[in-house]
């Protein structure tokens, strides 16, 4: 049987192909938008995986350290090490800032890690792609390759200079910012470091306070000034558990005895995905709905136009006894063919453009299958208007009636 749809497509192939390419670019944008959301979720999970922690101990009644600010004393980890089920506990700080290299700067999350060895102390980058881990207590850094830094680069973080000694990969914050790891003491100083004028003004106010500068109490002022120049706080304590202990059981023990807030891996993942990414997910969802509606409108318009251009031909087909099912099938096949061309072009465009986006774009097969099904459904629904128009054509129009 002669395929009426293919013959009609070949007759006006230019309009059909270029419309398919335009639809494909729109589908490609849709797939990339879905990939951006998947990438945000994957960034959050990578952040938790790379921390190496089973529990996150943070300031009481906060969602820290990623969703809210959190401050706990840096000697808290000692009390945690005495609890049953706790294998390791390590302080950590997080600070998102502009890290400078020469005249350029990069948005990054600066992570302060406790001295130790990777795999033994949580918080360290689990692997390197070049260089070595931090071995000194000050002024060394390990950076994610997404920062663009190289081994030996000199970075400026606040007033201090750091040398990049190692590079890692896929160490990012929940917002996709690459990480830069520095020693904990340096990170504590950077997080609360004041400029020289602010320090001078603070000391001047302290000296002018009679309660803190008593002539009869020598050493009081010096002790107060010393306490103001140090930062004894961290953002969280990362805890790993001994084998055989349930995270919820140990977390309840920490809450009871240490009076702090504790999150398990599942709870922290819920915070990252359900709270930090929730607004972005809703916005991306709205864009996907709008793009789907626009795609349906494009398919419906082009198929309607093609149908209007061959009203007389459809009337001739009816006049010679062609069944309505055959005519409807011809229009439906054109709509599906348009969708197939658009989807292939869109998939190719999304695959090749994804690496060039500043944020991580994760294209998963499940989204591809769902996108293909959605495109086919949209094309079928969009063809119904044209099918209804074609079935109402009077055969008499073939002879000018």
């Amino acid at each position: 049987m002669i395929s009426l749809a293919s013959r009609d497509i070949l007759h006006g192939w230019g309009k059909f192909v270029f419309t398919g390419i335009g639809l494909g670019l729109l589908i490609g944008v849709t797939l990339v938008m879905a990939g951006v959301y998947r990438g945000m979720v994957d960034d959050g999970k990578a952040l938790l995986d790379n921390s190496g922690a089973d529990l996150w101990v943070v300031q009481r009644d906060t969602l820290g350290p990623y969703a809210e600010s959190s401050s706990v004393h840096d000697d808290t980890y000692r009390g945690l090490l005495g609890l049953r089920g706790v294998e390791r506990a390590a302080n950590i700080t997080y600070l998102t800032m502009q890290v400078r290299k020469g005249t350029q700067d990069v948005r990054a999350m600066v992570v302060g890690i406790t001295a130790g060895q990777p795999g033994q102390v949580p918080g360290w980058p689990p692997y390197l792609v070049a260089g070595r881990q931090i071995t000194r207590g000050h002024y060394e850094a390990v950076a994610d390759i997404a920062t663009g830094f190289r081994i030996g680069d000199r970075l400026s973080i606040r007033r201090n200079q750091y040398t990049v000694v190692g590079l890692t990969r896929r160490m990012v914050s929940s917002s996709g910012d690459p990480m830069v790891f520095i020693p904990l003491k340096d990170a504590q100083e950077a997080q609360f470091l004041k400029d020289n004028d602010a320090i001078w003004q603070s000391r001047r106010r302290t000296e002018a306070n009679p309660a803190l500068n008593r002539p009869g109490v020598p050493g009081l002022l010096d002790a107060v000034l010393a306490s103001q120049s140090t930062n004894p706080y961290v953002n969280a304590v990362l805890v790993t558990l001994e084998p055989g202990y349930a995270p919820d059981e140990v977390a309840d023990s920490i809450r009871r005895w240490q009076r702090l807030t504790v999150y398990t891996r599942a709870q922290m993942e819920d915070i990252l995905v359900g709270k930090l990414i929730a607004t972005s997910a809703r916005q991306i969802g709205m864009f996907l709905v709008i793009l789907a509606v626009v795609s349906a409108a494009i398919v419906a318009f082009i198929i309607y136009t093609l149908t209007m251009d061959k009203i007389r031909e459809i009337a001739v087909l009816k006049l010679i006894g062609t069944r309505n099912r055959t005519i409807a099938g011809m229009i439906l096949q054109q709509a599906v063919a348009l969708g197939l061309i658009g989807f292939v072009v869109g998939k190719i465009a999304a695959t090749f453009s994804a690496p060039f986006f500043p944020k991580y774009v994760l294209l998963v097969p499940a989204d591809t299958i769902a996108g293909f099904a959605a495109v086919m459904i949209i094309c079928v629904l969009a063809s119904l208007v044209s099918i209804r128009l074609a079935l109402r054509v009077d055969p008499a129009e073939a002879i000018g009636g």
Side-chain angles (χ1 to χ4, degrees):
M1 184 179 68
I2 298 176
S3 175
L4 298 178
S6 60
R7 283 182 172 273
D8 189 60
I9 291 174
L10 291 174
H11 178 71
W13 67 271
K15 180 191 297 186
F16 201 84
V17 170
F18 283 109
T19 301
I21 293 175
L23 177 63
L25 295 177
L26 194 62
I27 294 173
V29 173
T30 305
L31 293 175
V32 169
M33 292 292 290
V36 168
Y37 169 73
R38 296 292 187 186
M40 293 169 63
V41 174
D42 191 73
D43 283 343
K45 293 181 178 180
L47 173 62
L48 302 182
D49 291 337
N50 295 332
S51 70
D54 298 313
L55 299 176
W56 285 258
V57 181
V58 299
Q59 181 181 342
R60 189 174 179 84
D61 298 327
T62 68
L63 296 176
Y66 309 120
E68 293 180 359
S69 61
S70 166
S71 295
V72 296
H73 208 280
D74 60 7
D75 64 357
T76 302
Y77 77 97
R78 295 191 179 96
L80 298 176
L81 289 173
L83 296 176
R84 289 185 57 189
V86 175
E87 183 178 21
R88 299 184 184 93
N91 293 327
I92 198 163
T93 64
Y94 298 101
L95 175 63
T96 301
M97 59 178 294
Q98 297 296 126
V99 177
R100 299 187 305 279
K101 187 191 78 169
T103 58
Q104 300 177 342
D105 58 9
V106 175
R107 188 72 171 174
M109 173 178 276
V110 177
V111 183
I113 53 177
T114 306
Q117 293 293 328
Q120 298 179 1
V121 178
W124 279 63
Y127 62 91
L128 299 180
V129 296
R132 60 173 175 83
Q133 296 280 4
I134 296 172
T135 58
R136 299 180 180 178
H138 296 282
Y139 312 130
E140 288 188 343
V142 170
D144 188 278
I145 60 173
T147 59
F149 299 147
R150 298 180 179 179
I151 301 294
D153 284 349
R154 298 281 291 175
L155 312 180
S156 296
I157 299 177
R158 295 289 191 254
R159 290 200 300 262
N160 295 326
Q161 298 288 319
Y162 296 82
T163 301
V164 177
V165 298
L167 297 176
T168 184
R169 186 191 300 272
R170 283 297 290 150
M171 298 295 295
V172 294
S173 69
S174 58
S175 59
D177 297 323
M179 288 183 173
V180 175
F181 297 85
I182 63 176
L184 179 64
K185 291 298 182 182
D186 290 348
Q188 287 178 293
E189 182 182 357
Q191 194 165 35
F192 296 94
L193 183 65
K194 300 177 182 177
D195 60 83
N196 292 333
D197 290 336
I199 294 174
W200 182 79
Q201 291 287 350
S202 177
R203 290 177 178 175
R204 182 181 175 186
R205 292 188 180 94
T206 302
E207 291 172 357
N209 189 338
L212 302 177
N213 189 7
R214 300 178 185 178
V217 186
L220 174 61
L221 179 61
D222 292 338
V224 172
L225 293 177
S227 67
Q228 292 177 346
S229 62
T230 59
N231 169 35
Y233 293 95
V234 295
N235 297 129
V237 180
L238 304 181
V239 175
T240 58
L241 304 181
E242 295 178 353
Y245 284 87
D248 291 326
E249 178 184 350
V250 179
D252 289 339
S253 177
I254 295 174
R255 295 188 191 101
R256 183 183 306 112
W257 298 109
Q258 299 295 322
R259 310 296 293 174
L260 294 167
T261 296
V262 188
Y263 295 108
T264 63
R265 166 60 192 261
Q267 292 170 334
M268 189 58 71
E269 186 173 320
D270 181 66
I271 291 173
L272 289 177
V273 178
K275 293 181 171 59
L276 283 183
I277 306 177
T279 302
S280 299
R282 287 194 293 269
Q283 187 162 337
I284 291 175
M286 288 298 299
F287 274 116
L288 293 178
V289 171
I290 293 172
L291 291 172
V293 172
V294 172
S295 300
I298 291 175
V299 174
F301 175 76
I302 190 63
I303 297 300
Y304 184 84
T305 302
L306 292 174
T307 304
M308 289 295 296
D309 290 343
K310 53 179 179 288
I311 287 293
R312 184 175 293 275
E313 287 80 358
I314 293 175
V316 172
L317 290 174
K318 285 193 169 187
L319 187 64
I320 63 177
T322 303
R323 291 177 296 179
N324 287 340
R325 184 174 64 181
T326 302
I327 297 173
M330 176 187 68
I331 297 173
L332 182 61
Q333 289 173 25
Q334 289 180 338
V336 171
L338 185 62
L340 286 173
I341 294 174
F343 183 81
V344 171
V345 172
K347 177 58 179 174
I348 294 173
T351 301
F352 283 96
S353 64
F356 296 98
F357 280 77
K359 279 187 174 293
Y360 181 52
V361 178
L362 179 61
L363 302 176
V364 298
D367 287 342
T368 301
I369 295 173
F372 178 76
V375 169
M376 292 298 101
I377 293 173
I378 288 173
C379 290
V380 170
L381 295 178
S383 67
L384 296 180
V385 175
S386 299
I387 291 174
R388 184 171 181 271
L389 173 66
L391 297 183
R392 294 176 62 185
V393 172
D394 189 350
E397 294 185 21
I399 54 177

